[in-house]
Amino acid sequence: DGGITQSPKYLFRKEGQNVTLSCEQNLNHDAMYWYRQDPGQGLRLIYYSQIVNDFQKGDIAEGYSVSREKKESFPLTVTSAQKNPTAFYLCASTFRGGQNNEQFFGPGTRLTVL
Amino acid sequence: AQSVTQPDIHITVSEGASLELRCNYSYGATPYLFWYVQSPGQGLQLLLKYFSGDTLVQGIKGFEAEFKRSQSSFNLRKPSVHWSDAAEYFCAVGARAGKSTFGDGTTLTVKP
C-alpha cells in the first residue's frame, strides 16, 4: 500500500541534543512538507521541498534543518537551537506541489523534551 | 497573504443531530479549499476539496461542504453525526508550491 511513514511515533530528547525525525513516502510524490502542531493551534509549516536536493524555509524554520537527498525521504532534524521543541510533528506530501494538490499526511511523531 | 479562520474552537452535538463547521478564508484569487479530519494522535485525512464548478461538494464519510464566494466561506456539513465522527477538523486553502494554510481547527465532541 502506498503511503507516508514517520518514525519513531514517540521520541524523547534531553535538552541540548539534536534529534532526527524520519519521513518516507512511496507515493512517488514530488513535494514534501514538515509541519509542527501544538495544542489549540493549526499546522505551522517548518520546511518544504518541491524537488530532490532543494528545499525552502517555511514559517517557523528556526532551530530546524532538513535534507532531501532522495525523492522518497525528507528527514527533519530538531536542533538544540530550537527553544521549545516539544510538539507533534507531521510530514506530508503532494503529487506535483501545485496549489490544487491535496496533502497526504503521515501518522506523526510526538517529540517530548525532558 | 492567505488566511483561514475557523471561528468555533469546540463544538458538541448529539449523535444523530446535524452538524455544520464554519470556515472563512482570505485569498486574493480563486481559492483551492480543503477540509481534513484528524483523530487523536494521528495524521490528517482529506474529507473533501473544492477547486471550481459546482459550489456544493461531496466528500467521504457523508460530509459535504458549500463554497460561498460572496461570504468567503466553505462550511462543512453532515446531516446526521455518528459517534465515530468525533475528531478535530481543519479547513485549509491551497497556496503555491503545494503549501496549504490551515485554520486552527475545530474539535467535535459527539454526545450519545
Side-chain angles (χ1 to χ4, degrees):
Chain A
D1 287 338
I4 300 179
T5 57
Q6 291 186 243
S7 61
K9 187 169 180 61
Y10 299 97
L11 186 57
F12 298 90
R13 187 194 93 173
K14 294 182 179 179
E15 285 192 15
Q17 287 182 334
N18 293 354
V19 290
T20 298
L21 283 58
S22 169
C23 177
E24 304 277 334
Q25 55 99 359
N26 61 3
L27 299 168
N28 198 32
H29 284 177
D30 292 317
M32 298 185 74
Y33 310 81
W34 273 106
Y35 293 93
R36 171 180 172 140
Q37 186 177 24
D38 295 283
Q41 299 188 38
L43 280 65
R44 293 184 289 168
L45 183 64
I46 304 173
Y47 268 98
Y48 65 102
S49 167
Q50 292 185 278
I51 195 170
V52 174
N53 293 322
D54 188 42
F55 47 83
Q56 287 76 40
K57 293 182 179 179
D59 301 319
I60 57 166
E62 184 175 353
Y64 300 97
S65 66
V66 293
S67 63
R68 186 87 185 277
E69 297 177 1
K70 298 187 300 181
K71 186 175 183 177
E72 303 78 23
S73 179
F74 191 41
L76 173 74
T77 297
V78 183
T79 74
S80 57
Q82 169 51 235
K83 298 306 180 187
N84 185 22
T86 294
F88 190 54
Y89 291 87
L90 287 162
C91 179
S93 69
T94 64
F95 179 54
R96 278 280 185 263
Q99 187 178 357
N100 60 345
N101 288 163
E102 66 190 76
Q103 300 212 339
F104 290 77
F105 285 84
T109 293
R110 185 167 299 281
L111 172 63
T112 303
V113 175
L114 303 173
Chain B
Q2 66 272 10
S3 66
V4 176
T5 301
Q6 294 181 244
D8 304 305
I9 296 173
H10 194 184
I11 283 184
T12 299
V13 300
S14 297
E15 190 168 18
S18 63
L19 171 69
E20 182 169 30
L21 302 182
R22 296 184 291 164
C23 172
N24 294 99
Y25 67 90
S26 173
Y27 193 72
T30 301
Y32 296 88
L33 297 163
F34 307 87
W35 274 101
Y36 294 87
V37 61
Q38 183 182 35
S39 297
Q42 301 296 318
L44 279 67
Q45 179 185 21
L46 180 73
L47 284 175
L48 47 79
K49 57 189 176 184
Y50 171 78
F51 296 157
S52 64
D54 193 349
T55 57
L56 184 64
V57 293
Q58 303 296 321
I60 62 171
K61 305 185 180 186
F63 286 92
E64 65 179 27
E66 186 171 13
F67 170 64
K68 293 185 177 180
R69 184 185 299 276
S70 61
Q71 298 178 17
S72 297
S73 69
F74 188 55
N75 294 348
L76 182 71
R77 302 195 295 246
K78 187 170 184 177
S80 177
V81 170
H82 187 263
W83 64 265
S84 60
D85 293 324
E88 190 160 18
Y89 292 80
F90 292 92
C91 181
V93 60
R96 67 172 185 81
K99 298 183 292 181
S100 287
T101 297
F102 290 82
D104 287 343
T106 297
T107 299
L108 173 64
T109 298
V110 180
K111 293 192 303 183

